[in-house]
Amino acid sequence: MVKIREILEGCCADQKVTVRGWVYRKREGKELIFLLIRDSTGVIQCTIKKTSPSWNEAQKLTIESSLTLEGTAKEDKRAPGGFEIGAETITIIGLAETFPISKDKSEEFIRDMRHLWLRSRKMNLVMKVRADVLDAARQYFKSQDYTEVSPPMFISAAVEGGSTLFGLKYFDQDLYLTQSSQLYLEILIYSLENVYCIAPSFRAEKSRTIRHLTEYWHIEGEWPFADMNDLMKFEEGLMTHVCQTIGDKCQKEFAELGADIAKLKAVKAPFPRITYKEAIDRLKPKNPQLAWGADLGYEDEKVLAEDFGKPFFVYDYPTEIKAFYCKTYSDHSEVAMSVDMMVPRIGEISTGGAREENKDILTERMKAQGLKPEDYEWYLDLRRYGTVPHVGFGMGLERLLVWMLDLDNIIDAIPFPRTTRRFYP
RNA sequence: GCCGCCGUGGCUCAGCCCGGUAGAGCGGCUGGCUGUUAACCAGUCGGUCAAAGGUUCGAAUCCUUUCGGCGGCGCCA
């Protein structure tokens, strides 16, 4: 048994080979049948002559039927990929009914057929790149001595305002699905120090855009004894490592997907950094209504991102538009130590910041935002017992992939997308 | 939450503005042809035009409502 990629790489010219896979295309003539067989590694053309003992089985085959095919591999310029197999024996494993997905397909239909569309070349390639991005991210965290941890998905209190939380019945109690693992990572830094997790986050935002999912994978890191500069340095290091690794490793996937790999190779630390105030000043000429204190809209982010043409940071936001746990400057508390990483076309792919380590200030911030400190007793305990300055961030894996792979929509960055309207299969 | 667009055979669409009970391509099936590149040629099967109500002699077409889908903004990663 040999993988199709090995044959396409020239492993077995003029040798007898056996492949296992599915029928990707079939073209049938009177004297000759062409089969394109796919497995997880690629697609190869197989020819069946009328004189071959496999002729009868080949005739029966339908698109997406599974089979084992034995024959002789040979180099042939006429075959896509440069190699083909002259079939001698075909064993049908599962004869497929007429496959519903064909040449003509709409976005809507493809989404209804997600469970079958995942067999497409596009999804196959995207899923491989996704796996490699996850690998690369873990590599980087490990290389910097971070420990991977496993936070809960069921939670009893909100991280931020409760409006975007999914509630659920947990036996007789009301619980929520987590929208960030940050608070749990904050617990773990007191023993493991540098920690990270790669886990789902859930948001009940009724957003109707190409960059929102209700369930997405969140790459989050948290560590003590660090400041904003350490945070940005780590994030740009992570991003650089991921982009360089994928740029080296996934050239074939990018080529077949038609994605721009040069953009990844161009990603190198340090990234441009501008403060929120500088961002406002840059945007003022184009958007005169923009004033200090307003949050940057998606259009504003896009304008900045097009200017830079690569990942960059915006930091030091108004305290008012940031969450209660954001640390503020002691001499000008109207500014919070928060940082977003932005990329062209997508806008924010990551948010991070320094966390308030002073219990009294934190309590005041909670009250100011209408939160009850008694709901966050365990979080306040972290400040009671050996508090430390610390920082952390969360990056949206699928948004990262949309940018890296030039995807049209975030739903193609995850195998089973959940949006406001879709959760099947 | 606000706004816009879409819904016609299994799939992709035309027809809708200017009402007269549906048409093409792909797929399927049959036959032909071909070292083919999501081939080509001929034939054939296949549709209560999203649903309900209204206007009309007559509605896929005009009006109303509902359902489903997509996207933009807001919010966010």
Side-chain angles (χ1 to χ4, degrees), chain A residues 129 132-133 136 239-255 259-267 403-405:
Chain A
V129 174
D132 286 335
V133 167
M239 189 71 171
T240 301
H241 177 76
V242 169
C243 290
Q244 292 300 325
T245 304
I246 297 301
D248 286 338
K249 196 176 173 187
C250 300
Q251 292 177 22
K252 280 183 182 170
E253 285 81 3
F254 272 66
D260 172 27
I261 203 161
K263 169 185 70 194
L264 300 190
K265 302 297 285 182
V267 172
W403 175 71
M404 292 177 79
L405 285 162

Side-chain angles (χ1 to χ4, degrees), chain A residues 86 96 122 147 185 210 225 235 273 317 423:
Chain A
K122 178 182 177 179
T147 302
L185 296 188
I210 58 163
F225 312 114
E235 280 201 68
R273 300 178 184 184
Y317 282 86
F423 32 81

Side-chain angles (χ1 to χ4, degrees), chain A residues 363-382:
Chain A
T363 307
E364 284 313 307
R365 294 286 319 279
M366 284 177 177
K367 287 178 182 164
Q369 297 204 4
L371 300 170
K372 294 180 204 152
E374 54 268 36
D375 288 343
Y376 294 85
E377 273 307 310
W378 63 254
Y379 193 65
L380 291 169
D381 273 353
L382 305 178

